[in-house]
Amino acid sequence: MAKENSKFANYHDGQIPSDQISQDAFLAEVQQELTVSCALPFSVPPAEITRIIKYASKWFYKKYEYAVQERYYVIPQENFKKIPTFKAYGTIKLPDCIYSIIGVRQCADGFSLYNPLKSMPDFSLEKVLFKDIYSIDGSTEALMYATIYQYWIDLASHILFHPISYNYNTNSKELVFLGEVPQNDVVLTVYEELPIGYLMKDEIFFRYVCAKAKTQLSRILGTFAFNLPGGITVNYDLLRSEGQEALEKIEEEIKSDEGMDWFMTSGNDNK
């Protein structure tokens, strides 16, 4: 696990793939937005914009579905005997890029990650679960039956493959096993933080950072209360209101864009 941690640390701390945007390029874009391509003679210091990016990314990882990506992680069984913190406290330190865990399951002998039911000892159970699921037609009613079948399969997998009790804290990055000691490899279903270089390519994140920077710029200008050469007064209230309105719109946009698991059906109502 120590090697895995160092690998992810290097990936996030300098080894930026070519399709990511660098922080310097992103800072330049934000500065251009704040100064209207250098039309205004003031901006937010780069160090403050860097701090805004840091905490804006934390907010996005928590609220924005496209800031994280679902991944599988495997903990080999031998690690449970080697890691001192697990032997003493039942905890394992995970890579910093893992934001949350949505499932912890122990692999059975002959387990297949892509077909967990393959490892079931009784093939008759498989036949019951998958009965008729691949022979339905494309009608609305058949689609509804297929959804019910999939729901039943998911429910049955929770009964047949009992998950391991655990707790995970995103701040400490510690996975705590609360129940039995795993006897086989363990598969984690996690939400992994998107590398910041990809997040900075998202126009919603760009708008959010710019809005935050505008509110900070209005705070700077309002605190010192100075005029530009020629006696021109700075309207810092306009910057603050623009920033606040933009933040509210972005937060509402993200909230309304959350994915939904549903589909519409229609039928004739013959009464």
Side-chain angles (χ1 to χ4, degrees):
M1 293 299 290
K3 292 183 178 179
E4 288 296 315
N5 275 313
S6 63
K7 181 186 74 172
F8 281 99
N10 291 333
Y11 181 72
H12 287 282
D13 296 341
Q15 294 184 5
I16 302 177
S18 58
D19 58 342
Q20 293 189 48
I21 185 173
S22 68
Q23 183 163 300
D24 290 339
F26 186 76
L27 283 172
E29 289 283 344
V30 174
Q31 294 280 25
Q32 280 192 314
E33 175 69 18
L34 294 177
T35 62
V36 195
S37 297
C38 299
L40 299 177
F42 46 76
S43 184
V44 177
E48 177 60 15
I49 298 179
T50 301
R51 191 188 70 85
I52 291 173
I53 292 172
K54 174 183 175 181
Y55 289 100
S57 64
K58 292 181 180 293
W59 188 87
F60 265 66
Y61 291 139
K62 183 185 296 184
K63 300 289 187 179
Y64 188 45
E65 63 176 322
Y66 299 115
V68 294
Q69 50 195 358
E70 188 172 340
R71 290 289 184 268
Y72 289 114
Y73 279 70
V74 177
I75 303 178
Q77 191 274 336
E78 56 266 21
N79 283 338
F80 297 112
K81 300 178 181 178
K82 296 178 181 178
I83 300 176
T85 56
F86 180 81
K87 292 191 293 184
Y89 310 108
T91 64
I92 290 181
K93 192 83 169 180
L94 297 181
D96 290 340
C97 60
I98 296 181
Y99 182 78
S100 62
I101 297 177
I102 57 178
V104 177
R105 293 184 178 276
Q106 184 175 196
C107 297
D109 293 334
F111 178 83
S112 171
L113 186 61
Y114 300 100
N115 185 11
L117 294 176
K118 178 182 177 181
S119 61
M120 297 170 64
D122 187 356
F123 181 72
S124 61
L125 291 176
E126 247 183 307
K127 290 166 62 179
V128 171
L129 293 177
F130 286 103
K131 180 177 178 294
D132 299 332
I133 192 170
Y134 296 115
S135 60
I136 58 176
D137 55 37
S139 65
T140 302
E141 184 178 358
L143 179 61
M144 188 160 51
Y145 282 133
T147 304
I148 295 173
Y149 276 129
Q150 293 288 357
Y151 175 80
W152 163 243
I153 291 171
D154 182 67
L155 178 62
S157 68
H158 282 277
I159 297 173
L160 297 170
F161 303 100
H162 190 70
I164 296 175
S165 297
Y166 71 95
N167 194 295
Y168 179 73
N169 190 296
T170 189
N171 292 317
S172 67
K173 305 300 180 183
E174 286 188 344
L175 172 63
V176 184
F177 289 85
L178 302 176
E180 61 180 328
V181 176
Q183 302 300 316
N184 295 314
D185 295 350
V186 170
V187 178
L188 311 179
T189 306
V190 308
Y191 281 125
E192 182 185 81
E193 295 177 356
L194 198 68
I196 190 68
Y198 288 120
L199 191 58
M200 288 189 294
K201 292 174 66 175
D202 194 312
E203 57 92 17
I204 297 180
F205 183 75
F206 174 76
R207 288 191 283 122
Y208 187 88
V209 171
C210 288
K212 281 285 189 180
K214 283 184 179 180
T215 59
Q216 287 298 84
L217 181 58
S218 69
R219 182 181 176 187
I220 295 170
L221 298 176
T223 300
F224 291 102
F226 62 87
N227 294 334
L228 296 175
I232 300 174
T233 302
V234 178
N235 189 351
Y236 56 86
D237 285 333
L238 177 62
L239 285 172
R240 182 171 61 245
S241 62
E242 282 185 354
Q244 290 293 344
E245 289 176 6
L247 287 174
E248 292 174 1
K249 288 181 180 178
I250 291 170
E251 291 174 4
E252 183 62 31
E253 181 180 347
I254 290 175
K255 183 179 179 180
S256 62
D257 194 38
E258 292 178 352
M260 299 182 183
D261 295 326
W262 56 275
F263 61 88
M264 295 182 64
T265 62
S266 61
N268 295 325
D269 188 5
N270 298 321
K271 290 187 177 180

